[in-house]
Amino acid sequence: MTMTPRLRKFALTAHLISSVGWLGAVFVFLDLAVVGLTSQDAQTVRGAYLVMEPAARFVLIPLAFASLLTGLVQSLGTTWGLFRHYWVVFKLLINVFATTVLLMYMQTFRSMAGVAADPSTDLGVVRNASPSLHAVLALLLLLVAAVLGVYKPRGVTRYGWRKQHELRRVLVP
Amino acid sequence: MADPPAYPGTPRWVKAFGIIAIAVVLLFVVRLLTVGGEHARHTPSDASGGHTPPSSVTEGHKPLEGGNR
């Protein structure tokens, strides 16, 4: 199935906006995580961990799924395909992996918010290095995905190679 | 009908990325199995159970009012 040029451009725009939006949101999360670790103000530290859970639920998760969905539409609706080129396969794997880890991490966000909401909890217990580590890893993954999407390095899979030659046979009998 | 040319093989960058990807996934799995339980330490019940914050922490800071979530 191949999309019309107008639809293809629309799908590409949607994919770019959601993917770059996701990347930007992770940058903000890294900032929140660093503020939570380093701020000297108790309310700022608690606020940083309190805001992470709703921000992840209403911003990170929707953007992650939007990026995945628009990426699938973009690849299946064009000649790139989903499993024909290695760079597309890697982008898909990165997206699925990052989204899965994010969904698993929601429980940790809830736990950290619960601890931060309790005023009797020691600030040392509220502070947690885990969000910074996860944000840095997520940033690395999403930056690699962005670079792959822009440079589109050469390399077709065996399946892509077979499909290319099947298509060539149809076009040049 | 001519046979299709032989598959040129997997590019080097794919092999390098593949090794890194496997390493990242393995690290993630190992971390999940070894440190995964650490988050439980941060549950509210554990944190408040019998724990008294040092005065240096609470001094000068108003506790958060209810409804901050």
Side-chain angles (χ1 to χ4, degrees), chain A residues 109-158:
Chain A
F109 279 136
R110 275 189 285 274
S111 293
M112 289 188 297
V115 174
D118 183 355
S120 66
T121 311
D122 191 319
L123 212 56
V125 177
V126 175
R127 292 188 204 271
N128 194 333
S130 169
S132 342
L133 177 75
H134 283 80
V136 167
L137 287 177
L139 268 184
L140 284 176
L141 283 176
L142 296 182
L143 284 172
V144 168
V147 169
L148 285 175
V150 172
Y151 284 90
K152 299 178 177 56
R154 284 171 185 276
V156 287
T157 61
R158 274 183 198 281

mmCIF file of all heavy atoms in Angstrom, chain A residues 109-158:
data_model
loop_
_atom_site.group_PDB
_atom_site.id
_atom_site.type_symbol
_atom_site.label_atom_id
_atom_site.label_comp_id
_atom_site.label_asym_id
_atom_site.label_seq_id
_atom_site.Cartn_x
_atom_site.Cartn_y
_atom_site.Cartn_z
ATOM 1 N N PHE A 109 7.514 5.869 39.030
ATOM 2 C CA PHE A 109 7.082 7.275 39.126
ATOM 3 C C PHE A 109 6.034 7.430 40.229
ATOM 4 O O PHE A 109 6.070 8.364 41.019
ATOM 5 C CB PHE A 109 6.473 7.744 37.794
ATOM 6 C CG PHE A 109 7.485 8.156 36.756
ATOM 7 C CD1 PHE A 109 7.358 7.753 35.433
ATOM 8 C CD2 PHE A 109 8.565 8.974 37.089
ATOM 9 C CE1 PHE A 109 8.273 8.137 34.472
ATOM 10 C CE2 PHE A 109 9.487 9.367 36.131
ATOM 11 C CZ PHE A 109 9.335 8.945 34.824
ATOM 12 N N ARG A 110 5.090 6.467 40.290
ATOM 13 C CA ARG A 110 4.031 6.528 41.299
ATOM 14 C C ARG A 110 4.620 6.387 42.708
ATOM 15 O O ARG A 110 4.241 7.111 43.618
ATOM 16 C CB ARG A 110 2.988 5.425 41.038
ATOM 17 C CG ARG A 110 1.930 5.852 40.023
ATOM 18 C CD ARG A 110 0.800 4.834 39.965
ATOM 19 N NE ARG A 110 1.199 3.632 39.238
ATOM 20 C CZ ARG A 110 1.125 3.486 37.920
ATOM 21 N NH1 ARG A 110 0.638 4.465 37.185
ATOM 22 N NH2 ARG A 110 1.512 2.385 37.331
ATOM 23 N N SER A 111 5.569 5.455 42.860
ATOM 24 C CA SER A 111 6.207 5.256 44.165
ATOM 25 C C SER A 111 6.943 6.517 44.612
ATOM 26 O O SER A 111 6.810 6.953 45.755
ATOM 27 C CB SER A 111 7.217 4.110 44.096
ATOM 28 O OG SER A 111 6.554 2.909 43.886
ATOM 29 N N MET A 112 7.690 7.110 43.678
ATOM 30 C CA MET A 112 8.468 8.298 44.024
ATOM 31 C C MET A 112 7.545 9.458 44.388
ATOM 32 O O MET A 112 7.832 10.224 45.313
ATOM 33 C CB MET A 112 9.386 8.691 42.853
ATOM 34 C CG MET A 112 10.533 7.712 42.655
ATOM 35 S SD MET A 112 11.767 8.260 41.442
ATOM 36 C CE MET A 112 10.797 8.329 39.966
ATOM 37 N N ALA A 113 6.408 9.580 43.662
ATOM 38 C CA ALA A 113 5.450 10.652 43.971
ATOM 39 C C ALA A 113 4.847 10.429 45.360
ATOM 40 O O ALA A 113 4.658 11.380 46.121
ATOM 41 C CB ALA A 113 4.358 10.689 42.902
ATOM 42 N N GLY A 114 4.576 9.163 45.691
ATOM 43 C CA GLY A 114 4.015 8.834 47.004
ATOM 44 C C GLY A 114 4.969 9.219 48.124
ATOM 45 O O GLY A 114 4.566 9.790 49.138
ATOM 46 N N VAL A 115 6.251 8.931 47.914
ATOM 47 C CA VAL A 115 7.267 9.263 48.921
ATOM 48 C C VAL A 115 7.394 10.783 49.042
ATOM 49 O O VAL A 115 7.433 11.335 50.155
ATOM 50 C CB VAL A 115 8.635 8.639 48.530
ATOM 51 C CG1 VAL A 115 9.721 9.112 49.484
ATOM 52 C CG2 VAL A 115 8.543 7.131 48.539
ATOM 53 N N ALA A 116 7.413 11.474 47.900
ATOM 54 C CA ALA A 116 7.597 12.931 47.918
ATOM 55 C C ALA A 116 6.407 13.640 48.554
ATOM 56 O O ALA A 116 6.564 14.705 49.160
ATOM 57 C CB ALA A 116 7.803 13.424 46.483
ATOM 58 N N ALA A 117 5.211 13.041 48.424
ATOM 59 C CA ALA A 117 4.002 13.681 48.958
ATOM 60 C C ALA A 117 3.935 13.595 50.477
ATOM 61 O O ALA A 117 3.196 14.356 51.101
ATOM 62 C CB ALA A 117 2.761 13.030 48.343
ATOM 63 N N ASP A 118 4.702 12.678 51.055
ATOM 64 C CA ASP A 118 4.659 12.489 52.505
ATOM 65 C C ASP A 118 5.643 13.454 53.167
ATOM 66 O O ASP A 118 6.862 13.296 53.056
ATOM 67 C CB ASP A 118 5.045 11.026 52.821
ATOM 68 C CG ASP A 118 4.964 10.733 54.305
ATOM 69 O OD1 ASP A 118 4.702 11.680 55.078
ATOM 70 O OD2 ASP A 118 5.165 9.572 54.683
ATOM 71 N N PRO A 119 5.136 14.494 53.858
ATOM 72 C CA PRO A 119 6.041 15.515 54.418
ATOM 73 C C PRO A 119 6.961 14.988 55.517
ATOM 74 O O PRO A 119 7.962 15.627 55.842
ATOM 75 C CB PRO A 119 5.083 16.571 54.980
ATOM 76 C CG PRO A 119 3.760 15.928 55.080
ATOM 77 C CD PRO A 119 3.714 14.783 54.133
ATOM 78 N N SER A 120 6.633 13.820 56.056
ATOM 79 C CA SER A 120 7.476 13.294 57.132
ATOM 80 C C SER A 120 8.680 12.519 56.594
ATOM 81 O O SER A 120 9.549 12.105 57.352
ATOM 82 C CB SER A 120 6.653 12.380 58.048
ATOM 83 O OG SER A 120 6.255 11.238 57.330
ATOM 84 N N THR A 121 8.712 12.332 55.282
ATOM 85 C CA THR A 121 9.814 11.554 54.699
ATOM 86 C C THR A 121 11.079 12.388 54.577
ATOM 87 O O THR A 121 11.032 13.532 54.114
ATOM 88 C CB THR A 121 9.406 11.024 53.302
ATOM 89 O OG1 THR A 121 8.143 10.411 53.394
ATOM 90 C CG2 THR A 121 10.420 10.016 52.782
ATOM 91 N N ASP A 122 12.172 11.782 54.942
ATOM 92 C CA ASP A 122 13.497 12.414 54.834
ATOM 93 C C ASP A 122 13.770 12.800 53.375
ATOM 94 O O ASP A 122 13.474 12.038 52.458
ATOM 95 C CB ASP A 122 14.533 11.386 55.295
ATOM 96 C CG ASP A 122 15.900 11.991 55.477
ATOM 97 O OD1 ASP A 122 16.322 12.819 54.638
ATOM 98 O OD2 ASP A 122 16.548 11.626 56.460
ATOM 99 N N LEU A 123 14.335 13.974 53.161
ATOM 100 C CA LEU A 123 14.637 14.440 51.804
ATOM 101 C C LEU A 123 15.627 13.513 51.099
ATOM 102 O O LEU A 123 15.597 13.350 49.888
ATOM 103 C CB LEU A 123 15.201 15.860 51.865
ATOM 104 C CG LEU A 123 14.877 16.766 50.683
ATOM 105 C CD1 LEU A 123 13.393 16.882 50.444
ATOM 106 C CD2 LEU A 123 15.500 18.128 50.892
ATOM 107 N N GLY A 124 16.486 12.889 51.887
ATOM 108 C CA GLY A 124 17.451 11.947 51.311
ATOM 109 C C GLY A 124 16.780 10.725 50.727
ATOM 110 O O GLY A 124 17.289 10.114 49.781
ATOM 111 N N VAL A 125 15.621 10.370 51.276
ATOM 112 C CA VAL A 125 14.868 9.225 50.745
ATOM 113 C C VAL A 125 14.082 9.652 49.505
ATOM 114 O O VAL A 125 13.892 8.884 48.568
ATOM 115 C CB VAL A 125 13.922 8.657 51.837
ATOM 116 C CG1 VAL A 125 13.077 7.507 51.292
ATOM 117 C CG2 VAL A 125 14.720 8.184 53.038
ATOM 118 N N VAL A 126 13.641 10.926 49.503
ATOM 119 C CA VAL A 126 12.883 11.440 48.349
ATOM 120 C C VAL A 126 13.779 11.497 47.111
ATOM 121 O O VAL A 126 13.376 11.108 46.016
ATOM 122 C CB VAL A 126 12.308 12.849 48.666
ATOM 123 C CG1 VAL A 126 11.627 13.441 47.440
ATOM 124 C CG2 VAL A 126 11.336 12.768 49.831
ATOM 125 N N ARG A 127 15.012 11.963 47.300
ATOM 126 C CA ARG A 127 15.938 12.069 46.159
ATOM 127 C C ARG A 127 16.232 10.677 45.602
ATOM 128 O O ARG A 127 16.467 9.744 46.377
ATOM 129 C CB ARG A 127 17.258 12.706 46.598
ATOM 130 C CG ARG A 127 17.152 14.161 46.984
ATOM 131 C CD ARG A 127 18.555 14.707 47.206
ATOM 132 N NE ARG A 127 18.568 15.864 48.080
ATOM 133 C CZ ARG A 127 18.432 17.121 47.656
ATOM 134 N NH1 ARG A 127 18.247 17.343 46.372
ATOM 135 N NH2 ARG A 127 18.477 18.129 48.506
ATOM 136 N N ASN A 128 16.236 10.579 44.283
ATOM 137 C CA ASN A 128 16.443 9.284 43.641
ATOM 138 C C ASN A 128 17.207 9.500 42.327
ATOM 139 O O ASN A 128 16.788 10.307 41.489
ATOM 140 C CB ASN A 128 15.067 8.651 43.368
ATOM 141 C CG ASN A 128 15.167 7.189 43.026
ATOM 142 O OD1 ASN A 128 16.176 6.744 42.507
ATOM 143 N ND2 ASN A 128 14.115 6.447 43.314
ATOM 144 N N ALA A 129 18.309 8.787 42.154
ATOM 145 C CA ALA A 129 19.130 8.968 40.946
ATOM 146 C C ALA A 129 18.555 8.239 39.737
ATOM 147 O O ALA A 129 18.950 8.504 38.597
ATOM 148 C CB ALA A 129 20.547 8.479 41.215
ATOM 149 N N SER A 130 17.622 7.350 39.978
ATOM 150 C CA SER A 130 17.098 6.512 38.900
ATOM 151 C C SER A 130 16.487 7.305 37.728
ATOM 152 O O SER A 130 16.760 6.983 36.572
ATOM 153 C CB SER A 130 16.089 5.525 39.495
ATOM 154 O OG SER A 130 15.389 4.884 38.509
ATOM 155 N N PRO A 131 15.667 8.362 37.978
ATOM 156 C CA PRO A 131 15.103 9.088 36.829
ATOM 157 C C PRO A 131 16.172 9.718 35.938
ATOM 158 O O PRO A 131 16.009 9.727 34.711
ATOM 159 C CB PRO A 131 14.230 10.166 37.488
ATOM 160 C CG PRO A 131 13.906 9.651 38.822
ATOM 161 C CD PRO A 131 15.098 8.842 39.251
ATOM 162 N N SER A 132 17.268 10.226 36.530
ATOM 163 C CA SER A 132 18.320 10.827 35.683
ATOM 164 C C SER A 132 18.957 9.778 34.792
ATOM 165 O O SER A 132 19.181 10.000 33.605
ATOM 166 C CB SER A 132 19.418 11.483 36.517
ATOM 167 O OG SER A 132 19.017 11.721 37.800
ATOM 168 N N LEU A 133 19.230 8.611 35.378
ATOM 169 C CA LEU A 133 19.846 7.529 34.607
ATOM 170 C C LEU A 133 18.925 7.107 33.451
ATOM 171 O O LEU A 133 19.364 6.984 32.299
ATOM 172 C CB LEU A 133 20.110 6.335 35.534
ATOM 173 C CG LEU A 133 20.677 5.096 34.865
ATOM 174 C CD1 LEU A 133 22.148 5.318 34.533
ATOM 175 C CD2 LEU A 133 20.529 3.867 35.741
ATOM 176 N N HIS A 134 17.654 6.934 33.763
ATOM 177 C CA HIS A 134 16.705 6.523 32.726
ATOM 178 C C HIS A 134 16.528 7.606 31.660
ATOM 179 O O HIS A 134 16.397 7.292 30.481
ATOM 180 C CB HIS A 134 15.355 6.162 33.359
ATOM 181 C CG HIS A 134 15.359 4.812 34.007
ATOM 182 N ND1 HIS A 134 15.896 4.590 35.254
ATOM 183 C CD2 HIS A 134 14.908 3.609 33.578
ATOM 184 C CE1 HIS A 134 15.774 3.313 35.564
ATOM 185 N NE2 HIS A 134 15.178 2.692 34.562
ATOM 186 N N ALA A 135 16.532 8.872 32.096
ATOM 187 C CA ALA A 135 16.364 9.965 31.127
ATOM 188 C C ALA A 135 17.569 10.036 30.188
ATOM 189 O O ALA A 135 17.403 10.241 28.978
ATOM 190 C CB ALA A 135 16.172 11.290 31.858
ATOM 191 N N VAL A 136 18.781 9.840 30.737
ATOM 192 C CA VAL A 136 19.994 9.885 29.891
ATOM 193 C C VAL A 136 19.952 8.741 28.870
ATOM 194 O O VAL A 136 20.212 8.935 27.673
ATOM 195 C CB VAL A 136 21.276 9.809 30.760
ATOM 196 C CG1 VAL A 136 22.497 9.539 29.909
ATOM 197 C CG2 VAL A 136 21.457 11.103 31.536
ATOM 198 N N LEU A 137 19.592 7.534 29.333
ATOM 199 C CA LEU A 137 19.529 6.389 28.411
ATOM 200 C C LEU A 137 18.457 6.608 27.356
ATOM 201 O O LEU A 137 18.661 6.303 26.172
ATOM 202 C CB LEU A 137 19.248 5.099 29.199
ATOM 203 C CG LEU A 137 20.422 4.582 30.023
ATOM 204 C CD1 LEU A 137 20.024 3.349 30.824
ATOM 205 C CD2 LEU A 137 21.607 4.248 29.119
ATOM 206 N N ALA A 138 17.304 7.149 27.769
ATOM 207 C CA ALA A 138 16.225 7.409 26.808
ATOM 208 C C ALA A 138 16.671 8.439 25.780
ATOM 209 O O ALA A 138 16.402 8.287 24.580
ATOM 210 C CB ALA A 138 14.980 7.893 27.541
ATOM 211 N N LEU A 139 17.385 9.474 26.252
ATOM 212 C CA LEU A 139 17.871 10.501 25.324
ATOM 213 C C LEU A 139 18.816 9.898 24.295
ATOM 214 O O LEU A 139 18.705 10.180 23.099
ATOM 215 C CB LEU A 139 18.631 11.578 26.107
ATOM 216 C CG LEU A 139 17.828 12.775 26.587
ATOM 217 C CD1 LEU A 139 18.752 13.775 27.256
ATOM 218 C CD2 LEU A 139 17.087 13.435 25.449
ATOM 219 N N LEU A 140 19.742 9.044 24.762
ATOM 220 C CA LEU A 140 20.688 8.402 23.843
ATOM 221 C C LEU A 140 19.938 7.596 22.783
ATOM 222 O O LEU A 140 20.218 7.702 21.585
ATOM 223 C CB LEU A 140 21.643 7.482 24.612
ATOM 224 C CG LEU A 140 22.757 8.180 25.393
ATOM 225 C CD1 LEU A 140 23.565 7.158 26.187
ATOM 226 C CD2 LEU A 140 23.670 8.937 24.440
ATOM 227 N N LEU A 141 18.974 6.794 23.236
ATOM 228 C CA LEU A 141 18.212 5.961 22.302
ATOM 229 C C LEU A 141 17.465 6.816 21.282
ATOM 230 O O LEU A 141 17.493 6.543 20.076
ATOM 231 C CB LEU A 141 17.221 5.087 23.070
ATOM 232 C CG LEU A 141 17.782 3.868 23.791
ATOM 233 C CD1 LEU A 141 16.694 3.165 24.581
ATOM 234 C CD2 LEU A 141 18.395 2.897 22.789
ATOM 235 N N LEU A 142 16.789 7.868 21.779
ATOM 236 C CA LEU A 142 15.983 8.692 20.876
ATOM 237 C C LEU A 142 16.858 9.507 19.926
ATOM 238 O O LEU A 142 16.474 9.752 18.779
ATOM 239 C CB LEU A 142 15.053 9.600 21.677
ATOM 240 C CG LEU A 142 13.999 8.868 22.515
ATOM 241 C CD1 LEU A 142 13.088 9.844 23.233
ATOM 242 C CD2 LEU A 142 13.157 7.920 21.663
ATOM 243 N N LEU A 143 18.055 9.896 20.397
ATOM 244 C CA LEU A 143 18.973 10.622 19.503
ATOM 245 C C LEU A 143 19.480 9.697 18.398
ATOM 246 O O LEU A 143 19.584 10.098 17.242
ATOM 247 C CB LEU A 143 20.150 11.206 20.302
ATOM 248 C CG LEU A 143 19.803 12.451 21.127
ATOM 249 C CD1 LEU A 143 20.963 12.845 22.035
ATOM 250 C CD2 LEU A 143 19.429 13.625 20.230
ATOM 251 N N VAL A 144 19.772 8.442 18.770
ATOM 252 C CA VAL A 144 20.208 7.467 17.753
ATOM 253 C C VAL A 144 19.084 7.273 16.729
ATOM 254 O O VAL A 144 19.323 7.263 15.515
ATOM 255 C CB VAL A 144 20.591 6.119 18.413
ATOM 256 C CG1 VAL A 144 20.756 5.030 17.368
ATOM 257 C CG2 VAL A 144 21.875 6.265 19.209
ATOM 258 N N ALA A 145 17.848 7.164 17.213
ATOM 259 C CA ALA A 145 16.711 6.986 16.305
ATOM 260 C C ALA A 145 16.578 8.191 15.373
ATOM 261 O O ALA A 145 16.316 8.028 14.171
ATOM 262 C CB ALA A 145 15.429 6.790 17.117
ATOM 263 N N ALA A 146 16.781 9.390 15.917
ATOM 264 C CA ALA A 146 16.675 10.605 15.097
ATOM 265 C C ALA A 146 17.760 10.618 14.021
ATOM 266 O O ALA A 146 17.493 10.935 12.857
ATOM 267 C CB ALA A 146 16.782 11.842 15.988
ATOM 268 N N VAL A 147 18.990 10.239 14.407
ATOM 269 C CA VAL A 147 20.104 10.222 13.449
ATOM 270 C C VAL A 147 19.826 9.183 12.347
ATOM 271 O O VAL A 147 20.031 9.446 11.167
ATOM 272 C CB VAL A 147 21.443 9.926 14.185
ATOM 273 C CG1 VAL A 147 22.561 9.646 13.206
ATOM 274 C CG2 VAL A 147 21.810 11.103 15.078
ATOM 275 N N LEU A 148 19.333 8.016 12.750
ATOM 276 C CA LEU A 148 19.012 6.974 11.757
ATOM 277 C C LEU A 148 17.955 7.483 10.779
ATOM 278 O O LEU A 148 18.036 7.249 9.579
ATOM 279 C CB LEU A 148 18.493 5.714 12.460
ATOM 280 C CG LEU A 148 19.528 4.837 13.165
ATOM 281 C CD1 LEU A 148 18.844 3.702 13.917
ATOM 282 C CD2 LEU A 148 20.528 4.259 12.167
ATOM 283 N N GLY A 149 16.966 8.186 11.310
ATOM 284 C CA GLY A 149 15.881 8.687 10.467
ATOM 285 C C GLY A 149 16.348 9.740 9.472
ATOM 286 O O GLY A 149 15.818 9.836 8.364
ATOM 287 N N VAL A 150 17.346 10.516 9.850
ATOM 288 C CA VAL A 150 17.822 11.585 8.962
ATOM 289 C C VAL A 150 18.835 11.025 7.949
ATOM 290 O O VAL A 150 18.739 11.266 6.752
ATOM 291 C CB VAL A 150 18.456 12.735 9.785
ATOM 292 C CG1 VAL A 150 19.126 13.750 8.868
ATOM 293 C CG2 VAL A 150 17.395 13.412 10.642
ATOM 294 N N TYR A 151 19.801 10.226 8.414
ATOM 295 C CA TYR A 151 20.873 9.734 7.525
ATOM 296 C C TYR A 151 20.476 8.510 6.715
ATOM 297 O O TYR A 151 21.049 8.243 5.670
ATOM 298 C CB TYR A 151 22.136 9.448 8.345
ATOM 299 C CG TYR A 151 22.865 10.709 8.738
ATOM 300 C CD1 TYR A 151 22.573 11.360 9.919
ATOM 301 C CD2 TYR A 151 23.823 11.266 7.896
ATOM 302 C CE1 TYR A 151 23.215 12.532 10.283
ATOM 303 C CE2 TYR A 151 24.481 12.436 8.246
ATOM 304 C CZ TYR A 151 24.169 13.066 9.445
ATOM 305 O OH TYR A 151 24.819 14.227 9.783
ATOM 306 N N LYS A 152 19.519 7.734 7.200
ATOM 307 C CA LYS A 152 19.049 6.520 6.508
ATOM 308 C C LYS A 152 20.221 5.705 5.939
ATOM 309 O O LYS A 152 20.359 5.555 4.721
ATOM 310 C CB LYS A 152 18.085 6.891 5.365
ATOM 311 C CG LYS A 152 16.841 7.615 5.836
ATOM 312 C CD LYS A 152 15.980 7.995 4.646
ATOM 313 C CE LYS A 152 14.691 8.647 5.052
ATOM 314 N NZ LYS A 152 14.802 9.841 5.898
ATOM 315 N N PRO A 153 21.086 5.177 6.804
ATOM 316 C CA PRO A 153 22.258 4.446 6.299
ATOM 317 C C PRO A 153 21.861 3.252 5.424
ATOM 318 O O PRO A 153 20.824 2.633 5.647
ATOM 319 C CB PRO A 153 22.969 3.981 7.577
ATOM 320 C CG PRO A 153 21.976 4.112 8.669
ATOM 321 C CD PRO A 153 21.005 5.166 8.272
ATOM 322 N N ARG A 154 22.716 2.982 4.440
ATOM 323 C CA ARG A 154 22.419 1.895 3.489
ATOM 324 C C ARG A 154 22.394 0.550 4.185
ATOM 325 O O ARG A 154 23.029 0.360 5.217
ATOM 326 C CB ARG A 154 23.501 1.840 2.403
ATOM 327 C CG ARG A 154 23.361 2.925 1.382
ATOM 328 C CD ARG A 154 24.577 2.939 0.483
ATOM 329 N NE ARG A 154 24.496 4.065 -0.442
ATOM 330 C CZ ARG A 154 23.820 4.027 -1.576
ATOM 331 N NH1 ARG A 154 23.184 2.935 -1.941
ATOM 332 N NH2 ARG A 154 23.782 5.084 -2.365
ATOM 333 N N GLY A 155 21.724 -0.387 3.583
ATOM 334 C CA GLY A 155 21.686 -1.751 4.099
ATOM 335 C C GLY A 155 20.262 -2.292 4.074
ATOM 336 O O GLY A 155 19.415 -1.801 4.820
ATOM 337 N N VAL A 156 20.046 -3.281 3.195
ATOM 338 C CA VAL A 156 18.716 -3.897 3.151
ATOM 339 C C VAL A 156 18.784 -5.277 3.803
ATOM 340 O O VAL A 156 19.808 -5.957 3.765
ATOM 341 C CB VAL A 156 18.172 -4.033 1.697
ATOM 342 C CG1 VAL A 156 17.770 -2.687 1.137
ATOM 343 C CG2 VAL A 156 19.163 -4.725 0.798
ATOM 344 N N THR A 157 17.671 -5.671 4.386
ATOM 345 C CA THR A 157 17.593 -6.996 4.999
ATOM 346 C C THR A 157 17.436 -8.040 3.876
ATOM 347 O O THR A 157 17.177 -7.686 2.723
ATOM 348 C CB THR A 157 16.367 -7.067 5.920
ATOM 349 O OG1 THR A 157 15.198 -6.840 5.132
ATOM 350 C CG2 THR A 157 16.431 -6.025 7.019
ATOM 351 N N ARG A 158 17.560 -9.313 4.230
ATOM 352 C CA ARG A 158 17.356 -10.377 3.226
ATOM 353 C C ARG A 158 15.961 -10.273 2.616
ATOM 354 O O ARG A 158 15.766 -10.434 1.425
ATOM 355 C CB ARG A 158 17.510 -11.751 3.882
ATOM 356 C CG ARG A 158 18.935 -12.215 3.934
ATOM 357 C CD ARG A 158 19.031 -13.600 4.532
ATOM 358 N NE ARG A 158 20.388 -13.850 4.961
ATOM 359 C CZ ARG A 158 21.379 -14.196 4.140
ATOM 360 N NH1 ARG A 158 21.151 -14.364 2.857
ATOM 361 N NH2 ARG A 158 22.593 -14.390 4.612
#
